[in-house]
């Protein structure tokens, strides 16, 4: 029996993780569930999965749940709920399914508590790549990818000698604005960006998919997960999201992992690794015909992708600043304070002002994250006032 804490149990990845647990009650048990504020869904999850603890980060929502809940699950409130869940002695694995830099501290705490990490929260690895991977090595902890592209690469790399691998090829759906004309992109709104063609995900990652910031974050995530340098990581647009990613060997052979776009598959593989269990979902059926297309990204129209490579190569605090400024810009887009074109402007402006340096602790990354958020907020205000 694998016992699992889910950070962000009420979100897209969190609910799908619970569906995998629901399909294999003999193999998995949810021992901790944490949400930001969605206490109605959390309460249903508590009733169904009976975790040892449940956490609500938002203090007001915590107060409401605490007052009305009567059962045996321990209810913990505030930011520390994430760390309590990620270090719970009864948990062997932690699925990090919160959004953004909120995942940094609980993920590090989970690693120090020697939990297996099922990593969905890519922003943590982007912001703190060197610190997180070193801590994982020092503690003998596995970081198993949940992101579909990284799960695909992870599966393709199994049994290969990495010295025989020429490059990683990450596929990108291209997001909601893939067909948009260059001249229309700048003024695209949140509604335009949220119409994702293939994946049904949380709002933040759906916006990131439209801007290709998500693919940029994934390039940096791949660098840290697989220890490949940026000159050996490629991105190709593949609108159908059937080929989840590939590796190219040095003799030119390409290995790919395919499947329908359903996150339960990579989530379950992280949970069962190195075993395979059956999974009830619509499986890929070649006899129905399959039309797969691949094309180069539109680098100039979606400049975040090139910026991610630059920032990744630069290293130090740059990826943390890239991530934090983008988070603020995405929330401003969702609030309709700025448009598509402003996101790149805000992030690149904040990066230009950043002081160089190499992080030696999570605290330093968090301080830089806070600085970048403040700078991004100022930039957003300047633009939304125009
Ligand atoms: P959602 O917005 O759907 O869900 C986020 C979850 O985290 C919710 O349970 C939310 O609670 C909770 N949460 C958000 N902020 C905080 C916080 N500050 N403290 C505690 N809990 C918080 O996001 P997704 O599931 O789409 O994404 C989660 C992560 O997985 C992201 O890092 C994303 O990049 C990554 N990912 C997602 C994929 C997908 O298909 N969705 C694919 C690959 C990676 P509440 O419901 O109360 O707001
Ligand atoms: Mg992905």
């Amino acid at each position: 029996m694998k016992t699992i804490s889910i950070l962000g149990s009420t979100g897209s990845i969190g609910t799908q993780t619970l569906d995998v647990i629901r399909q294999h009650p003999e193999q998995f048990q949810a021992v901790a569930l944490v949400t930001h504020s969605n206490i109605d869904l959390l309460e249903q999850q508590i009733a169904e999965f009976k975790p040892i603890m449940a956490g609500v980060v938002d203090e007001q929502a915590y107060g409401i749940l605490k007052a009305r809940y009567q059962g045996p699950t321990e209810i913990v409130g505030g930011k520390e709920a994430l760390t309590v869940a990620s270090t719970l002695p009864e948990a062997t694995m932690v699925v990090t399914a919160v959004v953004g830099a909120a995942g940094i501290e609980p993920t590090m705490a989970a690693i120090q508590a020697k939990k297996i990490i099922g990593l969905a929260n890519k922003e943590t690895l982007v912001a703190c790549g060197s610190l997180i991977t070193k801590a994982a090595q020092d503690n003998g902890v596995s970081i198993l990818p949940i992101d579909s592209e990284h799960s695909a690469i992870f599966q393709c790399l199994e049994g290969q000698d990495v010295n025989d691998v020429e490059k990683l090829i990450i596929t990108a759906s291209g997001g909601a604005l893939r067909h948009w004309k260059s001249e229309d992109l700048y003024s695209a709104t949140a509604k335009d960006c949220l119409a994702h063609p293939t994946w049904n995900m949380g709002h933040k990652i759906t916006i990131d998919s439209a801007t290709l910031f998500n693919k940029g974050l994934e390039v940096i995530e791949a660098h840290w997960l697989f220890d490949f340098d940026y000159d050996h990581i490629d991105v190709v647009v593949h609108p159908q999201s059937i080929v989840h990613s590939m590796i190219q060997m040095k003799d030119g052979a390409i290995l790919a992992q395919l499947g329908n776009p359903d996150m339960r598959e990579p989530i379950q593989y992280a949970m069962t690794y190195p075993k395979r269990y059956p999974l009830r979902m619509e499986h890929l059926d070649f006899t129905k015909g399959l039309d797969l297309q691949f094309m180069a990204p539109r680098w100039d129209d979606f400049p975040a992708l090139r910026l991610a490579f630059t920032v990744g190569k630069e290293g130090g605090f740059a990826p943390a600043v890239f991530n934090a400024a983008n988070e603020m810009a995405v929330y401003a887009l969702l609030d309709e304070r700025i448009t598509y074109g402003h996101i790149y402007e805000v992030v690149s402006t904040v990066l230009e002002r950043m002081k160089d340096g190499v992080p030696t602790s999570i605290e330093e990354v968090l301080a830089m994250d806070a600085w970048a958020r403040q700078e991004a907020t100022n930039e957003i205000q300047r633009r939304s006032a125009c």
Side-chain angles (χ1 to χ4, degrees), residues 292-373:
L292 302 180
Q293 297 162 321
F294 299 90
M295 59 212 74
R298 288 163 55 193
W299 294 94
D300 292 335
D301 289 331
F302 299 91
L305 187 54
R306 188 179 287 126
L307 185 62
F309 275 94
T310 307
V311 158
K313 285 179 187 174
E314 190 179 330
F317 287 110
V321 169
F322 173 82
N323 176 61
N326 176 54
E327 267 188 66
M328 298 310 284
V330 168
Y331 291 120
L333 179 86
L334 285 167
D335 290 348
E336 296 177 359
R337 283 182 283 142
I338 58 172
T339 65
Y340 170 90
H342 294 128
I343 298 183
Y344 177 80
E345 286 177 9
V346 167
V347 175
S348 52
T349 306
V350 175
L351 278 164
E352 276 163 25
R353 292 202 197 123
M354 186 198 103
K355 283 209 193 90
D356 291 340
V358 176
T360 57
S361 69
I362 289 288
E363 290 69 31
E364 286 176 12
V365 177
L366 292 173
M368 190 55 102
D369 175 279
W371 171 84
R373 279 167 203 271

XYZ file of all heavy atoms in Angstrom, residues 292-373:
646
model
N -1.266 12.810 -37.242
C -0.331 13.490 -36.346
C 0.466 14.534 -37.124
O 1.025 14.225 -38.176
C 0.634 12.479 -35.710
C -0.004 11.340 -34.909
C 1.079 10.421 -34.349
C -0.873 11.876 -33.784
N 0.500 15.736 -36.604
C 1.265 16.803 -37.272
C 2.337 17.351 -36.334
O 2.143 17.367 -35.108
C 0.330 17.956 -37.639
C -0.725 17.550 -38.629
C -1.865 18.549 -38.622
O -2.268 19.059 -37.598
N -2.385 18.822 -39.804
N 3.414 17.797 -36.941
C 4.524 18.378 -36.170
C 5.043 19.598 -36.923
O 5.117 19.571 -38.148
C 5.658 17.353 -36.012
C 5.217 16.130 -35.266
C 4.689 15.031 -35.953
C 5.276 16.074 -33.880
C 4.236 13.914 -35.273
C 4.831 14.959 -33.189
C 4.319 13.872 -33.894
N 5.362 20.640 -36.193
C 5.902 21.851 -36.837
C 6.769 22.622 -35.850
O 6.675 22.423 -34.642
C 4.756 22.735 -37.354
C 3.802 23.161 -36.275
S 2.105 23.344 -36.866
C 1.567 21.665 -37.081
N 7.594 23.488 -36.403
C 8.470 24.300 -35.542
C 7.633 25.330 -34.790
O 6.620 25.806 -35.311
C 9.499 25.020 -36.406
N 8.034 25.671 -33.573
C 7.323 26.743 -32.857
C 7.483 28.080 -33.590
O 8.472 28.286 -34.305
C 8.039 26.809 -31.498
C 8.888 25.605 -31.398
C 9.169 25.135 -32.796
N 6.529 28.985 -33.403
C 6.649 30.349 -33.968
C 7.401 31.200 -32.938
O 6.811 31.880 -32.099
C 5.253 30.903 -34.246
C 4.580 30.224 -35.442
C 3.090 30.468 -35.462
N 2.731 31.873 -35.440
C 1.494 32.326 -35.211
N 0.504 31.476 -34.982
N 1.244 33.608 -35.192
N 8.714 31.099 -33.001
C 9.568 31.684 -31.952
C 9.316 33.171 -31.746
O 9.317 33.655 -30.616
C 11.049 31.469 -32.309
C 11.458 30.036 -32.295
C 11.480 29.186 -33.356
C 11.909 29.268 -31.162
N 11.916 27.931 -32.960
C 12.188 27.965 -31.624
C 12.107 29.566 -29.815
C 12.650 26.948 -30.794
C 12.565 28.570 -28.975
C 12.827 27.267 -29.465
N 9.109 33.921 -32.840
C 8.984 35.376 -32.694
C 7.615 35.784 -32.162
O 7.493 36.793 -31.472
C 9.263 36.070 -34.036
C 10.725 35.903 -34.422
O 11.556 35.713 -33.503
O 11.037 35.928 -35.625
N 6.588 35.009 -32.496
C 5.249 35.353 -32.019
C 5.018 34.896 -30.576
O 4.139 35.406 -29.890
C 4.183 34.698 -32.914
C 4.141 35.362 -34.279
O 4.457 36.567 -34.356
O 3.811 34.672 -35.262
N 5.787 33.908 -30.154
C 5.661 33.377 -28.790
C 7.049 33.462 -28.126
O 7.700 32.441 -27.883
C 5.131 31.940 -28.823
C 3.759 31.826 -29.442
C 3.601 31.585 -30.799
C 2.619 32.012 -28.665
C 2.343 31.513 -31.386
C 1.352 31.938 -29.235
C 1.216 31.689 -30.593
N 7.511 34.683 -27.846
C 8.920 34.884 -27.461
C 9.273 34.306 -26.092
O 10.457 34.204 -25.764
C 9.072 36.414 -27.465
C 7.690 36.939 -27.273
C 6.767 35.959 -27.907
N 8.279 33.921 -25.320
C 8.572 33.370 -23.987
C 9.441 32.120 -24.089
O 10.253 31.846 -23.200
C 7.271 33.028 -23.268
N 9.279 31.376 -25.167
C 10.020 30.117 -25.283
C 11.517 30.382 -25.417
O 12.340 29.757 -24.722
C 9.487 29.325 -26.486
C 10.032 27.917 -26.649
C 9.843 27.086 -25.391
C 9.369 27.222 -27.844
N 11.864 31.340 -26.275
C 13.291 31.678 -26.431
C 13.836 32.248 -25.122
O 14.954 31.926 -24.696
C 13.456 32.685 -27.564
C 14.915 32.942 -27.903
C 15.083 33.920 -29.041
N 14.743 33.383 -30.337
C 13.863 33.927 -31.197
N 13.244 35.031 -30.878
N 13.612 33.366 -32.358
N 13.007 33.069 -24.471
C 13.438 33.670 -23.198
C 13.726 32.579 -22.161
O 14.686 32.674 -21.390
C 12.342 34.630 -22.687
C 12.661 35.432 -21.433
C 13.866 36.357 -21.663
C 11.459 36.273 -21.004
N 12.927 31.533 -22.177
C 13.141 30.431 -21.209
C 14.504 29.768 -21.435
O 15.212 29.446 -20.474
C 12.026 29.398 -21.332
N 14.869 29.567 -22.686
C 16.190 28.976 -22.971
C 17.295 29.907 -22.458
O 18.261 29.456 -21.846
C 16.359 28.731 -24.481
C 15.775 27.419 -24.956
C 14.480 27.343 -25.455
C 16.526 26.248 -24.903
C 13.946 26.133 -25.894
C 16.002 25.025 -25.346
C 14.708 24.976 -25.837
N 17.137 31.210 -22.707
C 18.146 32.183 -22.268
C 18.277 32.160 -20.748
O 19.377 32.095 -20.185
C 17.729 33.604 -22.728
O 17.474 33.552 -24.116
C 18.799 34.631 -22.421
N 17.126 32.209 -20.094
C 17.087 32.238 -18.624
C 17.636 30.928 -18.043
O 18.375 30.934 -17.057
C 15.603 32.476 -18.210
C 15.317 32.006 -16.814
C 15.227 33.930 -18.382
N 17.278 29.829 -18.685
C 17.759 28.532 -18.205
C 19.277 28.451 -18.293
O 19.952 28.023 -17.357
N 19.827 28.913 -19.426
C 21.294 28.877 -19.597
C 21.970 29.819 -18.608
O 23.053 29.513 -18.101
C 21.667 29.279 -21.023
C 21.382 28.191 -22.039
C 21.753 28.649 -23.444
C 21.305 27.619 -24.459
N 21.475 28.015 -25.835
N 21.329 30.950 -18.363
C 21.903 31.925 -17.423
C 21.937 31.328 -16.011
O 22.891 31.518 -15.266
C 21.046 33.192 -17.461
C 21.642 34.369 -16.732
C 20.726 35.589 -16.843
O 20.006 35.731 -17.857
O 20.730 36.377 -15.887
N 20.906 30.632 -15.628
C 20.856 29.967 -14.314
C 20.772 30.965 -13.181
O 20.213 32.054 -13.345
N 21.334 30.622 -12.029
C 21.273 31.505 -10.855
C 19.824 31.774 -10.458
O 19.003 30.861 -10.411
N 19.539 33.066 -10.213
C 18.177 33.432 -9.807
C 17.252 33.660 -10.998
O 16.054 33.858 -10.815
C 18.210 34.722 -8.979
C 18.756 34.537 -7.589
C 19.987 35.056 -7.231
C 18.017 33.859 -6.632
C 20.487 34.892 -5.946
C 18.505 33.687 -5.347
C 19.737 34.205 -4.999
N 17.812 33.680 -12.217
C 17.006 34.095 -13.370
C 15.730 33.248 -13.555
O 14.649 33.811 -13.765
C 17.859 34.085 -14.641
N 15.811 31.896 -13.449
C 14.563 31.139 -13.623
C 13.508 31.447 -12.553
O 12.309 31.457 -12.844
C 15.021 29.673 -13.535
C 16.463 29.708 -13.924
C 16.983 31.005 -13.368
N 13.958 31.735 -11.326
C 12.998 32.061 -10.255
C 12.302 33.385 -10.566
O 11.089 33.538 -10.352
C 13.716 32.134 -8.906
N 13.060 34.346 -11.092
C 12.492 35.656 -11.433
C 11.547 35.510 -12.630
O 10.442 36.057 -12.642
C 13.635 36.658 -11.736
C 13.103 37.945 -12.345
C 14.416 36.947 -10.446
N 11.966 34.748 -13.612
C 11.146 34.449 -14.799
C 9.793 33.868 -14.351
O 8.729 34.295 -14.784
C 11.938 33.431 -15.635
C 11.255 32.829 -16.833
C 11.213 33.508 -18.048
C 10.704 31.552 -16.773
C 10.633 32.922 -19.170
C 10.120 30.972 -17.892
C 10.077 31.660 -19.086
N 9.862 32.921 -13.433
C 8.651 32.254 -12.962
C 7.759 33.196 -12.163
O 6.553 33.275 -12.386
C 9.039 31.038 -12.114
C 7.820 30.373 -11.515
O 6.956 29.910 -12.237
N 7.717 30.397 -10.196
N 8.355 33.931 -11.211
C 7.551 34.785 -10.321
C 6.889 35.914 -11.102
O 5.697 36.203 -10.917
C 8.448 35.344 -9.211
N 7.652 36.563 -11.995
C 7.082 37.674 -12.771
C 5.967 37.157 -13.673
O 4.921 37.797 -13.836
C 8.176 38.339 -13.597
N 6.177 35.956 -14.234
C 5.135 35.381 -15.087
C 3.870 35.087 -14.277
O 2.760 35.371 -14.726
C 5.648 34.105 -15.757
C 4.565 33.421 -16.572
O 3.942 34.037 -17.441
N 4.288 32.165 -16.273
N 4.038 34.538 -13.080
C 2.849 34.252 -12.259
C 2.021 35.513 -12.037
O 0.802 35.495 -12.180
C 3.282 33.696 -10.894
C 3.346 32.179 -10.855
C 3.596 31.651 -9.445
O 2.736 31.805 -8.562
O 4.669 31.092 -9.251
N 2.691 36.606 -11.690
C 1.965 37.853 -11.431
C 1.275 38.341 -12.710
O 0.134 38.800 -12.675
C 2.917 38.937 -10.906
C 3.574 38.583 -9.593
S 2.414 38.035 -8.324
C 1.702 39.582 -7.829
N 1.988 38.217 -13.829
C 1.410 38.685 -15.095
C 0.211 37.821 -15.502
O -0.794 38.328 -16.009
C 2.481 38.686 -16.182
N 0.298 36.518 -15.247
C -0.826 35.633 -15.595
C -2.063 36.018 -14.764
O -3.176 36.105 -15.299
C -0.460 34.149 -15.358
C -1.699 33.261 -15.434
C 0.569 33.694 -16.375
N -1.854 36.277 -13.472
C -3.025 36.637 -12.650
C -3.595 37.983 -13.092
O -4.811 38.181 -13.060
C -2.690 36.572 -11.157
C -2.461 35.118 -10.738
C -1.253 34.685 -10.201
C -3.449 34.162 -10.979
C -1.046 33.336 -9.899
C -3.247 32.821 -10.677
C -2.053 32.409 -10.139
O -1.856 31.088 -9.851
N -2.722 38.898 -13.544
C -3.209 40.194 -14.046
C -3.999 39.996 -15.351
O -5.006 40.669 -15.581
C -2.035 41.138 -14.275
N -3.552 39.050 -16.181
C -4.305 38.758 -17.409
C -5.670 38.168 -17.051
O -6.701 38.566 -17.602
C -3.526 37.770 -18.290
C -4.252 37.399 -19.585
C -3.956 38.418 -20.690
C -3.864 36.014 -20.087
N -5.661 37.236 -16.084
C -6.929 36.614 -15.678
C -7.901 37.651 -15.099
O -9.111 37.532 -15.252
C -6.675 35.492 -14.663
C -6.101 34.188 -15.248
C -5.581 33.267 -14.146
C -7.147 33.449 -16.094
N -7.352 38.682 -14.448
C -8.186 39.780 -13.909
C -8.491 40.840 -14.964
O -8.989 41.918 -14.632
C -7.451 40.505 -12.768
C -7.335 39.648 -11.530
O -8.006 38.613 -11.475
O -6.553 40.035 -10.635
N -8.079 40.579 -16.186
C -8.314 41.497 -17.316
C -7.663 42.864 -17.122
O -8.170 43.882 -17.563
C -9.816 41.632 -17.592
C -10.399 40.295 -18.029
C -11.894 40.342 -18.246
O -12.488 41.398 -18.047
O -12.448 39.298 -18.619
N -6.524 42.890 -16.430
C -5.803 44.158 -16.269
C -4.793 44.366 -17.389
O -4.399 45.478 -17.674
C -5.105 44.199 -14.905
C -6.078 44.486 -13.767
C -5.377 44.560 -12.440
N -5.044 43.240 -11.932
C -3.927 42.933 -11.295
N -3.013 43.845 -11.086
N -3.719 41.703 -10.854
N -4.336 43.274 -18.008
C -3.374 43.377 -19.120
C -3.777 42.368 -20.205
O -4.699 41.568 -19.994
C -1.915 43.101 -18.662
C -1.789 41.716 -18.019
C -1.433 44.203 -17.719
C -0.347 41.300 -17.722
N -3.064 42.402 -21.331
C -3.342 41.432 -22.409
C -2.085 40.589 -22.684
O -1.040 40.791 -22.070
C -3.767 42.155 -23.718
O -2.666 42.923 -24.185
C -4.988 43.026 -23.507
N -2.231 39.661 -23.614
C -1.161 38.708 -23.960
C 0.212 39.366 -24.101
O 1.197 38.942 -23.503
C -1.543 37.994 -25.271
C -0.437 37.163 -25.867
C -0.281 35.833 -25.526
C 0.463 37.723 -26.785
C 0.748 35.077 -26.068
C 1.487 36.973 -27.323
C 1.634 35.655 -26.960
O 2.653 34.923 -27.483
N 0.273 40.426 -24.901
C 1.557 41.057 -25.219
C 2.269 41.610 -23.991
O 3.494 41.659 -23.934
N 1.477 42.030 -22.999
C 2.080 42.613 -21.791
C 2.840 41.573 -20.967
O 3.772 41.920 -20.253
C 1.004 43.240 -20.902
C 0.332 44.425 -21.519
N -1.034 44.543 -21.610
C 0.848 45.528 -22.103
C -1.333 45.686 -22.207
N -0.204 46.299 -22.514
N 2.428 40.319 -21.053
C 3.037 39.307 -20.165
C 4.533 39.217 -20.444
O 5.354 39.318 -19.526
C 2.354 37.927 -20.338
C 0.880 38.016 -19.953
C 3.065 36.882 -19.478
C 0.131 36.686 -20.014
N 4.888 39.086 -21.693
C 6.316 38.987 -22.046
C 7.041 40.277 -21.671
O 8.158 40.247 -21.138
C 6.469 38.704 -23.548
C 7.909 38.669 -23.983
C 8.685 37.534 -23.775
C 8.504 39.790 -24.572
C 10.026 37.510 -24.158
C 9.835 39.771 -24.952
C 10.590 38.622 -24.738
O 11.901 38.601 -25.108
N 6.385 41.413 -21.935
C 7.020 42.707 -21.603
C 7.331 42.788 -20.112
O 8.422 43.196 -19.713
C 6.077 43.861 -21.963
C 5.958 44.131 -23.433
C 4.953 45.245 -23.726
O 4.466 45.919 -22.784
O 4.641 45.417 -24.902
N 6.361 42.414 -19.301
C 6.536 42.494 -17.841
C 7.688 41.576 -17.413
O 8.602 41.991 -16.693
C 5.221 42.094 -17.107
C 5.466 41.864 -15.621
C 4.150 43.149 -17.322
N 7.673 40.343 -17.879
C 8.682 39.368 -17.429
C 10.075 39.786 -17.895
O 11.032 39.770 -17.109
C 8.328 37.952 -17.933
C 9.423 36.963 -17.570
C 6.985 37.500 -17.359
N 10.195 40.210 -19.150
C 11.542 40.559 -19.638
C 12.052 41.829 -18.968
O 13.244 41.944 -18.671
C 11.578 40.661 -21.160
O 10.572 41.496 -21.619
N 11.158 42.777 -18.663
C 11.588 44.004 -17.968
C 12.095 43.674 -16.565
O 13.139 44.175 -16.130
C 10.418 45.010 -17.878
O 9.911 45.213 -19.180
C 10.855 46.326 -17.275
N 11.379 42.826 -15.862
C 11.810 42.474 -14.493
C 13.147 41.722 -14.544
O 14.046 41.984 -13.736
C 10.718 41.637 -13.773
C 11.199 41.175 -12.405
C 9.434 42.439 -13.635
N 13.300 40.854 -15.529
C 14.572 40.119 -15.655
C 15.752 41.064 -15.898
O 16.841 40.860 -15.364
C 14.480 39.107 -16.805
C 13.811 37.777 -16.476
C 13.433 37.037 -17.755
C 14.697 36.889 -15.602
N 15.524 42.118 -16.693
C 16.611 43.070 -16.974
C 17.094 43.761 -15.699
O 18.250 44.121 -15.577
C 16.116 44.152 -17.947
C 16.205 43.731 -19.396
C 15.340 44.614 -20.281
O 15.070 45.777 -19.903
O 14.916 44.112 -21.340
N 16.188 43.962 -14.742
C 16.538 44.698 -13.509
C 17.136 43.808 -12.424
O 17.567 44.280 -11.380
C 15.267 45.313 -12.930
C 14.737 46.380 -13.801
C 13.859 47.307 -12.992
N 13.076 48.049 -13.939
C 11.761 48.081 -13.944
N 11.073 47.479 -13.009
N 11.127 48.761 -14.860
N 17.096 42.508 -12.677
C 17.498 41.553 -11.638
C 18.995 41.617 -11.341
O 19.789 41.787 -12.251
C 17.139 40.174 -12.189
C 17.310 39.059 -11.284
S 17.336 37.575 -12.321
C 19.057 37.289 -12.299
N 19.353 41.476 -10.083
C 20.789 41.379 -9.733
C 21.223 39.922 -9.889
O 20.519 39.009 -9.481
C 20.981 41.779 -8.267
C 20.925 43.266 -8.018
C 21.787 43.615 -6.791
C 21.518 45.019 -6.318
N 20.448 45.120 -5.316
N 22.405 39.724 -10.478
C 22.911 38.361 -10.682
C 23.241 37.709 -9.342
O 23.472 38.387 -8.353
C 24.205 38.381 -11.511
C 23.907 38.794 -12.939
O 22.741 38.683 -13.336
O 24.842 39.237 -13.633
N 23.315 36.427 -9.347
C 23.706 35.717 -8.125
C 23.319 34.261 -8.223
O 22.557 33.877 -9.112
N 23.883 33.476 -7.333
C 23.577 32.047 -7.320
C 22.923 31.710 -5.980
O 23.482 31.997 -4.919
C 24.877 31.220 -7.497
C 24.582 29.729 -7.390
C 25.527 31.542 -8.836
N 21.719 31.140 -6.005
C 21.040 30.849 -4.736
C 21.742 29.753 -3.937
O 22.152 28.739 -4.512
C 19.644 30.395 -5.170
C 19.754 30.027 -6.607
C 20.922 30.755 -7.179
N 21.861 29.987 -2.645
C 22.441 28.941 -1.792
C 21.399 28.393 -0.824
O 21.677 27.447 -0.098
C 23.644 29.472 -0.987
O 23.199 30.593 -0.219
C 24.786 29.906 -1.893
N 20.217 29.006 -0.797
C 19.163 28.493 0.095
C 17.789 28.838 -0.478
O 17.658 29.766 -1.289
C 19.297 29.119 1.492
O 18.969 30.497 1.396
N 16.796 28.096 -0.012
C 15.412 28.351 -0.403
C 15.009 29.777 0.011
O 14.287 30.453 -0.714
C 14.489 27.317 0.305
C 14.701 25.938 -0.295
C 13.035 27.720 0.278
C 14.152 25.765 -1.677
N 15.498 30.204 1.174
C 15.143 31.544 1.676
C 15.588 32.622 0.677
O 14.879 33.588 0.436
C 15.789 31.810 3.044
C 15.208 30.995 4.197
C 15.523 29.508 4.107
O 16.594 29.144 3.569
O 14.681 28.695 4.553
N 16.785 32.428 0.112
C 17.266 33.411 -0.876
C 16.381 33.400 -2.123
O 16.089 34.448 -2.693
C 18.708 33.078 -1.289
C 19.720 33.423 -0.224
C 21.143 32.986 -0.623
O 21.386 32.619 -1.803
O 21.993 33.001 0.265
N 15.964 32.221 -2.542
C 15.080 32.143 -3.718
C 13.755 32.835 -3.405
O 13.226 33.600 -4.221
C 14.831 30.677 -4.150
C 13.859 30.627 -5.324
C 16.131 29.986 -4.513
N 13.231 32.581 -2.201
C 11.944 33.184 -1.843
C 12.055 34.706 -1.764
O 11.118 35.428 -2.130
C 11.421 32.597 -0.522
C 11.014 31.115 -0.606
C 10.664 30.565 0.769
C 9.838 30.914 -1.564
N 13.209 35.206 -1.294
C 13.407 36.663 -1.234
C 13.438 37.232 -2.652
O 12.834 38.272 -2.943
C 14.694 36.989 -0.487
N 14.112 36.551 -3.564
C 14.170 37.007 -4.954
C 12.788 36.898 -5.607
O 12.387 37.780 -6.379
C 15.203 36.171 -5.720
C 15.527 36.678 -7.071
S 16.085 38.394 -7.094
C 17.844 38.189 -7.259
N 12.077 35.849 -5.280
C 10.705 35.654 -5.772
C 9.836 36.845 -5.336
O 9.088 37.410 -6.140
C 10.178 34.320 -5.197
C 8.735 34.046 -5.514
O 7.843 34.590 -4.823
O 8.470 33.266 -6.449
N 9.962 37.240 -4.064
C 9.156 38.361 -3.546
C 9.539 39.661 -4.254
O 8.663 40.463 -4.625
C 9.364 38.491 -2.036
N 10.838 39.861 -4.466
C 11.291 41.070 -5.179
C 10.694 41.092 -6.596
O 10.166 42.117 -7.045
C 12.831 41.082 -5.257
C 13.344 42.165 -6.143
C 13.556 43.462 -5.811
C 13.655 42.040 -7.549
N 13.985 44.167 -6.915
C 14.054 43.321 -7.992
C 13.638 40.982 -8.451
C 14.430 43.560 -9.313
C 14.012 41.224 -9.772
C 14.402 42.501 -10.192
N 10.764 39.953 -7.279
C 10.275 39.890 -8.666
C 8.770 40.144 -8.721
O 8.271 40.801 -9.648
C 10.611 38.522 -9.273
N 8.041 39.650 -7.743
C 6.586 39.871 -7.716
C 6.272 41.358 -7.559
O 5.356 41.883 -8.190
C 5.936 39.082 -6.576
C 5.725 37.645 -6.947
C 5.378 36.760 -5.761
N 5.749 35.417 -6.128
C 4.932 34.543 -6.755
N 3.685 34.861 -6.981
N 5.375 33.366 -7.114
